[in-house]
Amino acid sequence: MPEKTAQTRTIAVDMVARVEGEGALRVTVKDETVQDVELRIFEPPRFFEAFLRGRHYEEVPDIVARICGICPIAYQMSAVHALEQIFGLRVEGALRDLRRLIYCGEWIESHALHVYLLQAPDFLGYDSAIAMAKDHAAVVPRGLRLKKAGNAIMTLLGGRSVHPVSVKVGGFSRVPLRRELEGLKDELLWARDAAVDTVRWVADFEYPDFAPDYNYVALRHPDEYPLNEGQIVASTVLQISATEFEQHFVEHQVAYSNALHCTVQGSPYLVGPLARLNLNHDHLTPLAKQVLTDRRIALPLRNPFHGIIARSVEILYALEESLRLIERYETPPLAALPVAVRSGTGMACTEAPRGILYHRYEVDGDGVVRDAKIVPPTSQNQFRIEQDLRLFMPRLLHLPDKEAALACERVIRCYDPCISCATHFLNLDIRRESST
């Protein structure tokens, strides 16, 4: 509720809709100049790293899947890769393809949810996807069906789409028969065409003129668009393995947030679809490249609002990649490689829908986890979001507080923050101060 004094003016918005989790934003303005921006993630700490200590390594994939209902595969994949590094396992062939396929399913369902239900209403002037559906009756069902196609992949390979249960160290608890995967093809072919229409649709949105100077960070693989593997690269000079992550990326606590801020070489950076696309567009499929060319979308994209374009392109890529993987699939003789337990420390980084996700585990000779560290993408983007709000706020100061608050929410939604992963959005508090 608005509150006024002789010196300050404060506006509080109880909840920002269409983001995952709960938090707050406080902006302090003095003499029409932005003094401070604080993205306050106040949801209680979730203690997953502590929960993992003392648990057997076989329990880890099922535990970390509970961190997020939208991107559980990312948590499982970073975990199993790190543990396999300790045990000297290298998953190749059809099992590697299945991991890549289930990750594609997660990208499809997560990106479709954000593009159609969370961010598109901002560009079309609606408060929600439900309100948007009244005037765009064909659009919302298209988004829901796309999401369902991604969920179908996750359900088949993971046992269920929310908190899947079949991913394990060395492979899966069960692998599908070829005919089971082929049963997905008709729907994925429909979804591929719908994804092309999605890129064309979002390309016609009207975007604010805003292009901060970003340091993009993503995985980079020599042969493929990155999902499970690759070196960590940045638009600045950086190319490292996941084992070197903590030597370059530093987390620190700020007093107003339960999520840690993360910097690289002392500065904020951006992870997620925009960074991935800009650093890996040469690995897109010919169709995805052609759609970008047809819509005259030039890379790199430097506007955070173009994140919706990047996500749409990645939906298309993930569907084409899914069809390619299904086409060459032969059921492997073993659902999982045998594990020879040994002590050690393993680190891995994979590409969650919202950006790179780092895991480190220390395991003893009985396979019991003695230490765990998890760095989710939203906490990595948190510092960059604050920097962008600081840059964007001056163009909002002439607006009434309520309109300025809504505009700030739209900026934040560009990053598709998963606050439940980072620990959860959003009350907005704008404090206006005067020196007189």
Side-chain angles (χ1 to χ4, degrees):
M1 294 296 292
E3 176 184 317
K4 296 181 180 180
T5 70
Q7 297 298 318
T8 65
R9 183 179 182 192
T10 302
I11 298 174
V13 179
D14 292 333
M15 179 68 72
V16 170
R18 293 181 279 126
V19 293
E20 169 60 25
E22 297 178 358
L25 176 67
R26 186 184 187 99
V27 179
T28 302
V29 179
K30 185 175 183 180
D31 293 335
E32 295 305 306
T33 300
V34 177
Q35 300 292 309
D36 204 10
V37 175
E38 296 179 350
L39 181 59
R40 299 179 168 190
I41 295 177
F42 55 74
E43 190 150 314
R46 304 178 71 203
F47 302 117
F48 268 93
E49 290 154 318
F51 294 155
L52 289 163
R53 292 171 191 146
R55 308 302 291 262
H56 195 263
Y57 81 89
E58 291 179 328
E59 299 176 277
V60 172
D62 288 342
I63 293 173
V64 298
R66 270 67 176 178
I67 293 175
C68 184
I70 300 174
C71 52
I73 298 299
Y75 284 91
Q76 291 183 314
M77 289 298 157
S78 289
V80 296
H81 278 276
L83 292 166
E84 287 165 3
Q85 185 185 77
I86 299 172
F87 303 142
L89 284 179
R90 177 72 181 172
V91 174
E92 301 281 9
L95 291 176
R96 181 180 188 273
D97 282 358
L98 288 174
R99 286 185 169 180
R100 193 167 173 81
L101 179 58
I102 195 172
Y103 220 137
C104 283
E106 179 164 282
W107 274 20
I108 295 164
E109 65 86 14
S110 178
H111 285 351
L113 169 68
H114 186 260
V115 168
Y116 281 89
L117 303 183
L118 304 183
Q119 195 174 17
D122 285 343
F123 292 97
L124 300 177
Y126 296 95
D127 292 334
S128 68
I130 294 174
M132 185 174 76
K134 294 178 180 176
D135 298 327
H136 300 270
V139 166
V140 173
R142 183 174 70 194
L144 292 172
R145 189 172 168 184
L146 270 169
K147 185 180 185 304
K148 189 176 179 181
N151 284 342
I153 296 173
M154 295 172 66
T155 300
L156 177 57
L157 299 185
R160 58 194 191 195
S161 62
V162 179
H163 310 319
V165 293
S166 74
V167 173
K168 61 183 293 185
V169 174
F172 293 82
S173 58
R174 175 193 179 272
V175 292
L177 301 172
R178 179 177 175 79
R179 60 179 170 78
E180 292 179 285
L181 287 183
E182 288 182 340
L184 298 171
K185 286 175 64 175
D186 286 347
E187 191 62 14
L188 296 182
L189 287 168
W190 170 88
R192 183 183 62 186
D193 294 341
V196 171
D197 292 339
T198 302
V199 178
R200 292 170 176 162
W201 178 55
V202 301
D204 289 337
F205 288 171
E206 185 174 338
Y207 293 95
D209 181 13
F210 183 53
D213 185 16
Y214 286 126
N215 181 17
Y216 300 108
V217 174
L219 292 185
R220 169 81 181 169
H221 189 279
D223 304 317
E224 60 194 16
Y225 203 83
L227 285 164
N228 273 304
E229 301 173 14
Q231 294 264 299
I232 300 170
V233 301
S235 45
T236 58
V237 180
L238 181 72
Q239 183 170 350
I240 61 172
S241 67
T243 60
E244 301 170 282
F245 180 91
E246 292 179 59
Q247 299 172 30
H248 297 266
F249 294 82
V250 177
E251 289 183 300
H252 65 276
Q253 187 77 60
V254 293
Y256 53 84
S257 177
N258 285 339
L260 299 174
H261 276 200
C262 196
T263 59
V264 59
Q265 297 161 339
S267 300
Y269 59 99
L270 182 73
V271 301
L274 208 61
R276 266 195 309 263
L277 184 64
N278 286 336
L279 295 173
N280 294 282
H281 56 84
D282 56 317
H283 287 319
L284 289 175
T285 59
L287 176 60
K289 291 178 180 177
Q290 187 60 51
V291 174
L292 285 170
T293 300
D294 291 346
R295 304 309 295 181
R296 298 181 180 178
I297 300 170
L299 299 175
L301 298 174
R302 301 189 182 281
N303 186 332
F305 291 91
H306 288 163
I308 195 171
I309 296 176
R311 286 182 179 85
S312 300
V313 172
E314 287 193 338
I315 293 173
L316 174 57
Y317 173 81
L319 284 159
E320 288 195 273
E321 180 69 353
S322 297
L323 288 163
R324 185 185 74 84
L325 294 168
I326 291 172
E327 191 62 36
R328 73 179 195 183
Y329 178 70
E330 297 292 340
T331 306
L334 295 173
L337 302 178
V339 177
V341 174
R342 65 188 188 194
S343 63
T345 301
M347 295 80 91
C349 200
T350 70
E351 282 284 0
R354 290 154 191 82
I356 60 172
L357 169 61
Y358 172 77
H359 283 221
R360 170 172 55 77
Y361 297 95
E362 180 183 339
V363 173
D364 68 18
D366 295 322
V368 176
V369 175
R370 294 304 174 195
D371 193 22
K373 181 181 180 67
I374 298 173
V375 184
T378 292
S379 67
Q380 296 181 69
N381 275 341
Q382 188 181 350
F383 194 10
R384 185 64 253 181
I385 295 172
E386 290 180 347
Q387 295 293 307
D388 283 359
L389 285 165
R390 187 184 294 273
L391 294 172
F392 199 76
M393 276 300 299
R395 67 180 70 191
L396 306 178
L397 296 180
H398 68 286
L399 296 175
D401 288 337
K402 184 177 180 180
E403 292 183 30
L406 290 173
C408 288
E409 293 183 42
R410 293 180 186 125
V411 173
I412 294 166
R413 275 194 287 272
C414 292
Y415 309 89
D416 191 16
C418 191
I419 296 172
S420 59
C421 286
T423 150
H424 275 274
F425 212 112
L426 179 78
N427 298 325
L428 174 61
D429 187 349
I430 300 179
R431 180 176 295 272
R432 298 179 187 270
E433 298 179 344
S434 172
S435 58
T436 59

